[in-house]
Amino acid sequence: MKHEFILEGLHCANCAAKIEAKLNQEPDFDEVLFSFATLELEIHSDSGDIRERVQRIVDSIEDGVTVVPKEARQHHHHHGNDHHHDHCDDSCCTHDHHDHEHEHHGHEHEHSHGNSKRKLMMLILSAVLLAAALILHILGKYDLIVAVLSIISTILAGYDVILEGISSLFKRRIDETTLMTVAVIAAFALGDFAEGAAVMVLFGIGELLEEKAVEKSRRDIRKLADIRPDTAYLYENGKSRAVRAEEVSVGATLEIPPHTRVPLDGVITEGSTTIDASSLTGESEPVEATVGTALCSGMMNNENTVYLKTTKVYADSAATRIVRLVEESAKNKGEHEKLISRFAAVYTPIMIGLALAIAVIPSLFTGDWGGWIHKALVCLVASCPCSIVISVPLSYYAGIGAASKAGVLIKGGRYLEAIAKVKSFAFDKTGTVTDNQISVKEIKPLADVPTKEVAALAAAAEAHSAHPIAHAIRAYCEEHHISVEELKDHREISGHGVEARRGEDTVEVCKSDSKHGVSVKLNGKEIGLILVSEHIREEVPDMLKNLKKLGIEKNVMLSGDKETACRRVAEGLGFDEIHSELLPEDKVSAVEKLIADTGSCCFVGDGINDAPVLSRATCGVAMGLGSDAAIEAADLVLSSENLSSLPRAVKLARKTLSTVKANITFSLLVKAVIILLAILNIAPLWLAVFSDTGVCLLCVLNAVRLIKAKT
């Protein structure tokens, strides 16, 4: 069974790692996945209700965190997001327990809002008292008043930090609250009252700003992911009424008013409009939509009211799948994220050992206990790993969120790392490089019949055929404004052809040996050949060039089709290699060879027979949200069904990794400099606090830049 919870009120990234580690030790919890970016906890276990057990384990590590089942949180979310609509009647009301849930969360939100307001007021007051204490301290008078003002300022700014720090010590846990508490108490013991107060006020301000930045970035990312409307307007008996989107069944008719999102996948049955699909595809150009056009949930209706017959339930619709993929992506941690969890566990005890050594060893030789303890405190406070532990998961999550906006769903940090480092790309031909449409490539007249007449006769004979080649010939005549006359006695002839009569004459169109050409005959005499080709996606040439610019070594096309057909498609596109007549297992071998040659290979396919090769590639990309098997097996999904978003994904993934590395390097560098300055007796304690909370804030803001990333 899969149990899903939200850990509300958890702000300490260090504690999050400890909670995940402790839950992983439970014998009947098979798999524990936690995302600090979304605060979502997923536990796979055969046990029934495990919420209370999880709450006990969380309480043993961090106070003030509530374990809330995810569904309860989502119902609140639906309730809060209802759109108003003219036809809304009593049927909008949802069940009582949703109202209760909504109320509970409303109170919770007000409570947390009130909390931060109170905290801000106390910080302002403590800063004023600190300023007074510092002025008196500089004047060198009234030491007692300085001490009293400093102590009051410290208590106002950080009473909760001190309480938590002491409780952490009892739990034999060392985090930033413990470090700050030890630092302030030691500063007071050394008689540095004003400096001790400055540490706590700065820490409080930093924490508040950091919390706001993290919260905002979480909201921004959630906004990118949450493109699901929760209300649908069910159209029955000439009237529409608002219902919860989950309650709508397949085959129902929905009214989609202008400027609202499509709630479920379906096909337009009445009306025409333009659709903005940018939330799914990243493409901002509006698309024409009329009767028969399939729409995906999450698309925005721009102009007119249309009516839609649903083809999928809410849980299977495009937007829900995208949101699910993005939410789950945060739990598939990248190597850097895993490394950071391990790093924090080892790093903090080492830094405490170092601080103790700095306090004790030189003091034994010099006798200057006060001076060396002060230096040790600076080292202790500067060494707090928060900036790294918070900003790294957030960077991954922001990168994944930005990619979803560009029409690429990346299933987790480790796949983001894979696509960033990939060296070769293998593309399936049919449905990936081509889009399953056929077009006329060339018309070769064989007798003295003009090209236009060959096309016109073929189109006239094919007038009632549903064959893709017939569509292609009719489209060619429309495009070139060739008028097509009406023929009589149309009939299909065995061997895949059609025949019709023009007065006394007989017109035949025979599909030749391959699907790439047709022969046009008049009274049994061949008058022309029409060569057709698969329709290549127009973005392919630019996409391949852009991948080359990004340093990709090989772009290869793989296909089960005949070699001549593959060469015809690949001509002039810029593929490095073409492999034809491959069975699914041959595609796996071709990808393995590319991995051996270049080190890594990304396979891009439309999902038909592609699951084995998608799984085998370093990184598998599925085209579109069509095939369930492909989406399961792939690591990335191009929800835009547009290959031009592939180079964007590579760029974004690289940008995310460089942000992660920059944050780690910057944090460690600043800490090293502060520790060095402390040993040289240059760095005061407040500077160490800035290096902790200030650097953390800068790293979080750097991570958030990814959300706005232009690709």
Side-chain angles (χ1 to χ4, degrees):
M1 269 175 74
K2 183 161 92 169
H3 304 267
E4 292 185 291
F5 305 104
I6 307 279
L7 301 190
E8 290 191 337
L10 179 62
H11 300 297
C12 161
N14 235 339
C15 317
K18 285 177 182 149
I19 288 170
E20 189 177 2
K22 194 154 183 186
L23 288 168
N24 262 313
Q25 289 166 4
E26 291 291 298
D28 56 334
F29 290 180
D30 298 329
E31 193 180 7
V32 177
L33 301 165
F34 178 68
S35 157
F36 182 67
T38 56
L39 298 181
E40 285 180 19
L41 172 68
E42 183 184 313
I43 298 174
H44 295 256
S45 169
D46 293 336
S47 307
D49 187 10
I50 58 170
R51 180 181 168 183
E52 279 181 19
R53 248 173 82 197
V54 173
Q55 184 72 64
R56 274 200 304 277
I57 291 168
V58 170
D59 287 344
S60 72
I61 290 171
E62 176 74 10
D63 300 320
V65 177
T66 320
V67 178
V68 182
K70 191 174 164 188
E71 309 82 77
R73 170 80 169 251
Q74 274 174 341
H75 288 317
H76 144 65
H77 173 73
H78 293 324
H79 206 88
N81 264 5
D82 273 0
H83 306 291
H84 295 291
H85 196 248
D86 303 341
H87 308 306
C88 191
D89 59 23
D90 296 343
S91 59
C92 294
C93 298
T94 45
H95 313 296
D96 292 345
H97 71 270
H98 298 315
D99 291 336
H100 170 71
E101 199 61 60
H102 180 60
E103 231 166 82
H104 159 71
H105 281 282
H107 292 324
E108 205 167 87
H109 179 69
E110 280 162 35
H111 177 65
S112 75
H113 187 66
N115 258 358
S116 60
K117 212 168 180 179
R118 192 171 71 244
K119 179 115 179 121
L120 185 65
M121 296 309 295
M122 291 174 88
L123 273 173
I124 291 168
L125 186 58
S126 62
V128 171
L129 294 174
L130 172 64
L134 284 171
I135 291 164
L136 293 175
H137 179 61
I138 291 161
L139 292 172
K141 298 176 183 173
Y142 316 113
D143 284 350
L144 184 63
I145 297 172
V146 169
V148 170
L149 287 175
S150 299
I151 289 168
I152 296 170
S153 169
T154 303
I155 290 168
L156 285 175
Y159 69 92
D160 51 346
V161 176
I162 293 168
L163 288 174
E164 202 173 315
I166 292 166
S167 118
S168 295
L169 273 176
F170 281 120
K171 288 177 183 171
R172 294 202 299 280
R173 189 187 84 213
I174 291 157
D175 56 25
E176 71 263 45
T177 57
T178 328
L179 297 177
M180 291 302 150
T181 306
V182 169
V184 171
I185 292 169
F188 284 177
L190 294 169
D192 297 328
F193 289 101
E195 194 170 11
V199 164
M200 203 45 95
V201 172
L202 273 174
F203 182 70
I205 293 168
E207 286 276 272
L208 203 64
L209 291 173
E210 193 185 294
E211 207 170 294
K212 288 270 171 276
V214 170
E215 259 316 300
K216 185 183 181 310
S217 62
R218 278 183 182 148
R219 268 202 313 277
D220 284 355
I221 297 162
R222 242 176 264 145
K223 230 182 284 163
L224 290 182
D226 208 355
I227 47 176
R228 293 175 295 189
D230 304 308
T231 306
Y233 302 111
L234 192 60
Y235 190 74
E236 289 171 329
N237 311 322
K239 273 178 29 190
S240 80
R241 61 189 179 99
V243 295
R244 293 229 330 269
E246 299 100 303
E247 294 167 6
V248 178
S249 54
V250 171
T253 301
L254 299 181
E255 180 179 282
I256 316 290
H259 314 298
T260 60
R261 287 197 187 279
V262 177
L264 292 92
D265 294 6
V267 176
I268 296 179
T269 53
E270 191 187 323
S272 64
T273 185
T274 61
I275 291 290
D276 173 3
S278 60
S279 58
L280 301 187
T281 64
E283 298 301 321
S284 51
E285 286 295 305
V287 182
E288 296 288 328
T290 182
V291 174
T293 306
L295 299 184
C296 291
S297 62
M299 290 178 171
M300 176 68 81
N301 178 11
N302 286 340
E303 291 173 355
N304 314 313
T305 298
V306 288
Y307 294 88
L308 187 84
K309 188 174 186 181
T310 59
T311 52
K312 284 188 178 154
V313 290
Y314 183 75
D316 295 334
S317 284
T320 308
R321 294 170 81 165
I322 288 175
V323 175
R324 201 183 305 133
L325 283 169
V326 173
E327 281 179 347
E328 286 176 0
S329 72
K331 295 170 195 156
N332 286 320
K333 294 187 173 58
E335 286 310 309
H336 284 87
E337 285 176 279
K338 290 182 191 155
L339 184 71
I340 291 309
S341 300
R342 295 199 294 269
F343 163 84
V346 178
Y347 169 86
T348 310
I350 289 174
M351 291 315 292
I352 289 164
L354 180 68
L356 277 171
I358 290 171
V360 175
I361 296 166
S363 303
L364 291 172
F365 293 105
T366 62
D368 178 15
W369 285 91
W372 283 105
I373 288 173
H374 188 277
K375 289 172 190 175
L377 289 178
V378 176
C379 296
L380 203 58
V381 171
S383 69
C384 184
C386 288
S387 50
I388 301 175
V389 176
I390 289 176
S391 72
V392 169
L394 205 57
S395 302
Y396 276 100
Y397 195 44
I400 287 165
S404 78
K405 194 170 76 173
V408 184
L409 305 173
I410 302 175
K411 286 189 181 177
R414 65 168 180 266
Y415 308 120
L416 186 133
E417 288 170 355
I419 191 85
K421 294 171 183 171
V422 90
K423 287 282 181 281
S424 61
F425 275 82
F427 296 86
D428 185 41
K429 177 176 76 78
T430 312
T432 303
V433 175
T434 66
D435 59 7
N436 291 325
Q437 292 177 351
I438 287 174
S439 56
V440 171
K441 194 178 186 192
E442 193 186 346
I443 295 180
K444 289 185 175 174
L446 296 175
D448 299 333
V449 183
T451 306
K452 282 189 173 181
E453 196 175 334
V454 174
L457 281 173
E462 295 272 22
H464 305 303
S465 170
H467 195 282
I469 289 180
H471 282 298
I473 295 170
R474 292 196 294 264
Y476 178 87
C477 289
E478 263 176 53
E479 197 183 320
H480 292 82
H481 308 294
I482 299 170
S483 57
V484 178
E485 59 186 297
E486 276 286 319
L487 302 187
K488 290 196 297 256
D489 301 337
H490 289 270
R491 68 190 186 92
E492 296 273 339
I493 46 176
S494 59
H496 308 295
V498 290
E499 187 182 278
R501 296 187 72 79
R502 182 177 70 168
E504 296 299 306
D505 299 327
T506 305
V507 180
E508 278 175 82
V509 181
C510 314
K511 315 285 186 284
S512 60
D513 57 347
S514 79
K515 64 175 179 181
H516 297 295
V518 294
S519 164
V520 185
K521 294 179 180 176
L522 186 62
N523 296 327
K525 182 190 171 196
E526 194 167 37
I527 58 165
L529 268 180
I530 299 177
L531 298 179
V532 294
S533 66
E534 289 173 278
H535 188 263
I536 296 157
R537 292 181 190 271
E538 57 191 330
E539 72 270 17
V540 171
D542 282 347
M543 178 268 302
L544 292 172
K545 275 192 206 108
N546 288 337
L547 286 177
K548 280 289 181 196
K549 277 185 201 156
L550 291 169
I552 299 302
E553 291 172 25
K554 277 188 180 179
N555 288 319
V556 177
M557 187 171 86
L558 308 177
S559 175
D561 219 337
K562 295 208 165 45
E563 190 178 347
T564 48
C566 292
R567 296 236 168 261
R568 199 176 289 136
V569 166
E571 202 179 318
L573 290 182
F575 279 107
D576 297 308
E577 292 174 17
I578 299 149
H579 298 281
S580 51
E581 300 181 40
L582 303 175
L583 296 167
E585 55 268 31
D586 300 332
K587 287 183 186 176
V588 173
S589 311
V591 163
E592 283 174 343
K593 186 177 182 312
L594 277 169
I595 294 173
D597 290 350
T598 63
S600 55
C601 172
C602 175
F603 176 80
V604 188
D606 68 335
I608 318 296
N609 306 328
D610 287 339
V613 63
L614 281 167
S615 304
R616 177 61 193 95
T618 316
C619 187
V621 179
M623 285 287 284
L625 289 156
S627 157
D628 286 351
I631 289 173
E632 280 302 307
D635 309 317
L636 279 81
V637 179
L638 296 184
S639 58
S640 60
E641 260 192 77
N642 187 324
L643 288 168
S644 62
S645 46
L646 206 53
R648 281 189 220 168
V650 176
K651 261 199 226 158
L652 255 171
R654 288 182 183 175
K655 199 168 184 176
T656 305
L657 279 197
S658 62
T659 302
V660 165
K661 286 171 186 166
N663 280 352
I664 293 172
T665 311
F666 176 61
S667 298
L668 292 177
L669 206 62
V670 171
K671 289 177 189 313
V673 168
I674 300 281
I675 289 169
L676 198 64
L677 292 177
I679 293 168
L680 297 173
N681 213 14
I682 303 169
L685 199 49
W686 63 264
L687 192 61
V689 175
F690 172 75
S691 92
D692 173 34
T693 55
V695 168
C696 191
L697 190 62
L698 290 172
C699 288
V700 167
L701 294 174
N702 192 29
V704 172
R705 277 177 46 243
L706 288 163
I707 299 173
K708 309 277 184 268
K710 293 272 175 286
T711 50

